[in-house]
């Protein structure tokens, strides 16, 4: 399913944002909010992301793969175990993902800001449950 062009392609979604680079996190957060999403985070570590999930599970997530000295896979595992859809955002591209995650939706950095929300929406679109579900 491809999401059509609208300014609120993520309306109704509560998204966890996991990104350790402050400027990138601010850009991604602004783009997600502009597209209608409510954003939890940004979390800059695995521990912070897991705490946010435990506190109030999101409808979906946007995950940077490399968080300084740690990888985000523990967060991805938790999300997958609870059927919460997520997309990876990484400079390594799909080939840089660990085996079981190489088929997951991936947005490659650097991305075009004008395409980011649609890429996130398209990555989450085929997964259930729906936002708020």
């Amino acid at each position: 399913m491809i999401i059509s062009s609208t300014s609120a392609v993520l309306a109704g979604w509560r998204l966890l944002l996991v990104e350790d680079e402050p400027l990138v996190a601010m850009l991604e957060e602004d783009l997600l909010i502009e597209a209608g999403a409510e954003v939890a985070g940004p979390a800059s570590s695995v521990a912070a992301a897991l705490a946010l999930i435990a506190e109030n599970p999101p409808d979906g997530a946007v995950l940077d793969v490399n968080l300084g000295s740690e990888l985000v896979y523990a967060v991805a595992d938790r999300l997958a175990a609870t059927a919460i859809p997520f997309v990876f955002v990484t400079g390594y591209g799909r080939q840089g993902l660990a085996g079981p995650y190489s088929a997951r939706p991936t947005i490659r950095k650097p991305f075009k800001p004008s395409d980011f929300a649609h890429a996130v929406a398209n990555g989450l679109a085929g997964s259930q449950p729906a936002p708020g579900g």
Side-chain angles (χ1 to χ4, degrees):
M1 174 180 180
I2 301 295
I3 303 298
S4 63
S5 286
T6 66
S7 60
V9 296
L10 294 169
W13 285 88
R14 183 173 181 280
L15 297 176
L16 171 65
L17 175 58
V18 181
E19 171 61 61
D20 67 323
E21 295 291 335
L23 293 177
V24 175
M26 289 182 344
L27 172 63
E28 290 177 357
E29 181 178 25
D30 286 347
L31 294 171
L32 294 171
I33 290 170
E34 204 173 273
E38 176 187 340
V39 177
S44 61
S45 69
V46 168
L50 292 174
L52 286 170
I53 293 168
E55 179 181 306
N56 188 6
D59 300 313
V62 177
L63 309 176
D64 180 17
V65 174
N66 188 353
L67 303 173
S69 63
E70 59 185 349
L71 297 174
V72 78
Y73 296 125
V75 177
D77 290 341
R78 176 76 51 87
L79 294 167
T82 55
I84 296 172
F86 59 90
V87 297
F88 289 115
V89 181
T90 178
Y92 301 111
R94 189 176 304 258
Q95 67 273 12
L97 297 174
Y101 293 109
S102 62
R104 287 287 181 164
T106 305
I107 300 168
R108 185 161 189 154
K109 292 178 186 174
F111 53 81
K112 288 175 58 178
S114 60
D115 296 339
F116 184 72
H118 290 293
V120 170
N122 286 331
L124 299 173
S127 302
Q128 293 302 323

